[in-house]
Amino acid sequence: MNSFQLLTPAFKKIKRVFSLRSRFVLWLLVGGSLLVSGVIYYGLYRFLDYVGRAPMLGETIGPLIGGLLVSKLLEMLLLTLFFMVLFSSIISALSAFFLNEELPVLMASPQPIGRIFRSRFIMMTLESSWMVIAFFLPALLAFATALKAEPMAYLIYPVYLGFFMLLPNICGGFFALLLGTFFPIRQMRKIFQFLSIIVLTSLIFFLRSLEAEKLLNPSYFKDVSQYILSLQLPLLQFSPSSWLHQATMQLFRSDYYASLKEFLPLAALSIGGLAILNFFSTRFYRSSWQKSMEAVENQVLGLEWVRKVIIFPLRFFDNSFRVIATKEITTFLRNPAIFSQIFMMSAIVFVYGYNLSILPLKDLPTLYSGEINDSLVFLNGPFIGFILASIGMRFVYPSISMEGRAFWAVKSSPVRPGKILFIKLSIYLIPMFILGLILCAVTNSIFKVSSDILFWMSFINVGLISIVITSLAIGVGTVYADFDADSPLKIAGSYGGFIYMILSGLYIINLLALEAYPMYRFFFHRFIPISRFSAGFLVTLCSLLLLFCTIAWIYIPFRKGLEVIDNYEPE
Amino acid sequence: MNQNEKVIEFSAIKKQYGNFHAVKGIDLTVHKGELFGFLGPNGAGKTTMIRILTGIIKPTSGNVLIKGYDLYKDPDNAKSRIGFVPDRPYLYEKLTPLEYFDFMGGLYNVNKNQVESKGEEMLKLFDLWDRRNELIESFSHGMKQKVAMSAAILHDPDIFVVDEPTVGLDPKSLKLAKDFFRNLISQGKTVFLTTHTLSVAQDLCNRIGIIRNGEIVALGSMSELQKKASLPGNDLESVFLKITEEEEQEKII
């Protein structure tokens, strides 16, 4: 029996999950993903093609600087990819090496410990990398097309990418093994979460500190030579991302020998890392796993006063609402994994606000500044929507799954399971709504929106988006609930989480599409006047359609969730 | 106290999972004040029946009445009369026992003061009072079982449904649990339990049903079962084995 065979139960579980899903939904999902990928691919390709030529800099210097810019962007992308997989692997390692439910049986079996470790390592690598790769693939393809890579490059590149993906997972594996050797699992979990906060928050600030916008604007630099120099310097020297970056650039330019030379350190490090990890696993994995089984946390965590303050107003509600909401808030606040996510999301929100604050709005020509500011306000709503959807995916979407196997208590009680969904919706809607409105108010003040209609419209947009996104998170989270999952992060990164994000994106596109015409009329009414009646009619029609679609987006997934939860039979 | 009052009525209950028939048309009535034991080999359908009785799963066909209330048409009234302890006590691990009681009490709309006093009484009974402020995640299986048992009694149910009450309990706790069931019966409550520990069933139950392959193969008091098995004076273990083996042989023939 080899390590892959030890993964048979996990693969069978995935197969079973897919076989239970409706074919129509699966094809719809595949189609939707391909569409989104296609849009990313084509949009980025056009952008890179333009940047690569840099026509504004002239025919001679344009392609030179443009090429360097494209190369720098690729390097940033690869660095981000590396850190994202590293972050993801840290979470998956803990789950795969220590919390997986098959482990007690495997550990009790006569299978060599190295084989068990390798099987868990494969599981962890697949878990942590597949979604990141899926999101980054269209972007990487766009780079390949923009750099006019030959077909051979497309065949070789998956090998490069495979080795590159291995490295962050090896790091994750080492972390898990190292900490497991010294700390029992509960404490280790906290340390992991603490580390993941540091890794991710640093990544966010690091990427922000790169100030990519300056690279697109040479006027930030003293002279052209300094600008070119800054483009040529690697972001992180002697790092896997810089090696892959160089190897990729050479590969896409069809210089295979030079590419292979750049790739060798990466391959050597991956193979060496695997060998060392394998060596350490045979020595330390069993003992660290045994240690992880020993200690169990038995104290109520700190921040009890926060919990008490939040649940205080609930005493004025109906008894079942009070207890269900109190339980939800209590279990939420006592889950350390949630805290790391709150920090991470706060960092993203902060960086988003910062990005908007440094937009060069002052430099816009006065004639159009009003229109441009106003159109930014219009486009800002969907961006806030994406932030809310990411927050929803991490906190709201897993909430039904987190009921876990204890859900029998609700099923056997007189409270209808559907009531749980309504209560969860009300609990999560309040912070989502407030956060959306705060983001909207802050960003509106940055844009100095000139029109009252747009000002209020932006709030209505964000309000609608937050309601739909919360309802979608509860509905889709119920339809794809995994009551056996041990961590909300794992639930958020599952198949259903992916669907939730796609659906959230589709609603935002739906909203934009229906508002596009009224906005167009609004922006250009001083240039292209049409009769008041036709404008009024079309604007009303779009608004009614938007209202109808929004109600459908709220109702249908939630209704589906209600049906599923009513028919759910706990094991 | 009307001892003939029917408190649980299963009518033609069937449960099918794909092609597998877990329960094949069971009719069963349990009366008020009975301590009814539901026995059977592994996979016979005991837990399925209990999960149907508590409304956790729906039967493929058939009906259940709880004190005259239809479990599917009037679930609020029916379910509020049942206290349930499952075989595997999966509880909300991030709560303390007292917080869990508050949650369970709220689901059954019980007054907060009643929850607190009853919860304290039960935790003291099961020697868990000193650990009332610890998270349930730190508890052993047996301790969780005791918390689940305590929570099931908070709303003072007429019917107490227990799936495998002996699993995970130490001898002292087992004796406590047995006394606790007897006490419930003396108060006119009804207990419906499943167990593999036949000595417990023999010791406690007034009436026993034996289920095999989704069908009830024997039903009655201990003496009636001994008579059916033609083993007068023998213990429940011999009677059980005889009845289930005979059924198996009849099936083969």
Side-chain angles (χ1 to χ4, degrees), chain A residues 186 189 296-301 304 307 318-328 330-332 334-336 402-417 420 566-571, chain B residues 15 17 51 54-59 73-77 79-80 82 84-86 88-96 99-100 102-112 131 133-135 137-139 148:
Chain A
R186 300 287 165 177
R189 191 176 219 182
V296 181
E297 206 169 34
N298 61 1
Q299 291 302 312
V300 172
L301 296 167
E304 271 299 282
R307 186 184 75 86
D318 140 61
N319 211 10
S320 57
F321 185 94
R322 177 184 68 80
V323 295
I324 293 169
T326 303
K327 191 271 297 171
E328 188 69 24
T330 304
T331 48
F332 182 90
R334 286 182 186 159
N335 190 340
M402 288 312 287
E403 290 288 318
R405 292 167 176 165
F407 198 60
W408 63 265
V410 178
K411 276 293 267 188
S412 62
S413 79
V415 172
R416 307 278 167 104
I420 293 263
D566 274 336
N567 294 319
Y568 170 65
E569 299 189 341
E571 280 175 23
Chain B
K15 181 68 183 174
Y17 296 101
R51 282 144 62 87
T54 49
I56 291 177
I57 62 175
K58 283 181 186 154
K73 288 184 186 148
D74 191 1
D76 298 7
N77 269 319
K79 286 180 175 182
S80 61
I82 295 176
F84 173 49
V85 185
R88 287 172 292 178
Y90 293 122
L91 310 177
Y92 291 100
E93 306 256 310
K94 291 287 176 195
L95 301 182
T96 65
E99 288 165 348
Y100 184 69
D102 184 40
F103 173 71
M104 291 300 284
L107 292 184
Y108 288 84
N109 206 17
V110 184
N111 174 295
K112 206 165 192 285
R131 306 191 69 170
N133 291 322
E134 290 179 20
L135 298 185
E137 69 180 2
S138 68
F139 286 10

Side-chain angles (χ1 to χ4, degrees), chain A residues 362-424:
Chain A
K362 297 189 297 291
D363 307 337
L364 294 171
T366 336
L367 180 64
Y368 300 111
S369 64
E371 272 77 13
I372 292 177
N373 271 9
D374 290 349
S375 46
L376 281 174
V377 171
F378 175 57
L379 292 172
N380 184 43
F383 278 113
I384 293 178
F386 281 116
I387 291 181
L388 290 178
S390 319
I391 292 172
M393 183 166 92
R394 281 164 180 83
F395 303 124
V396 190
Y397 174 81
S399 70
I400 283 288
S401 299
M402 288 312 287
E403 290 288 318
R405 292 167 176 165
F407 198 60
W408 63 265
V410 178
K411 276 293 267 188
S412 62
S413 79
V415 172
R416 307 278 167 104
K419 190 170 183 181
I420 293 263
L421 294 200
F422 280 110
I423 295 174
K424 281 182 191 270

Side-chain angles (χ1 to χ4, degrees), chain B residues 107-172:
Chain B
L107 292 184
Y108 288 84
N109 206 17
V110 184
N111 174 295
K112 206 165 192 285
N113 293 333
Q114 188 187 328
V115 171
E116 282 168 6
S117 61
K118 195 78 189 170
E120 181 178 343
E121 181 193 324
M122 293 304 294
L123 286 184
K124 283 180 176 162
L125 175 75
F126 285 126
D127 285 336
L128 285 176
W129 182 243
D130 292 342
R131 306 191 69 170
R132 64 190 178 279
N133 291 322
E134 290 179 20
L135 298 185
I136 292 172
E137 69 180 2
S138 68
F139 286 10
S140 69
H141 180 98
M143 287 156 77
K144 286 179 186 170
Q145 190 82 351
K146 291 176 194 172
V147 173
M149 214 174 270
S150 307
I153 206 75
L154 294 172
H155 60 289
D156 195 22
D158 297 314
I159 304 157
F160 201 68
V161 180
V162 203
D163 197 2
E164 302 288 357
T166 55
V167 176
L169 293 185
D170 58 41
K172 186 187 166 194

Side-chain angles (χ1 to χ4, degrees), chain A residues 40-53:
Chain A
I40 294 174
Y41 166 76
Y42 186 69
L44 188 61
Y45 162 67
R46 291 298 299 265
F47 172 74
L48 292 172
D49 187 49
Y50 180 77
V51 171
R53 286 184 283 114

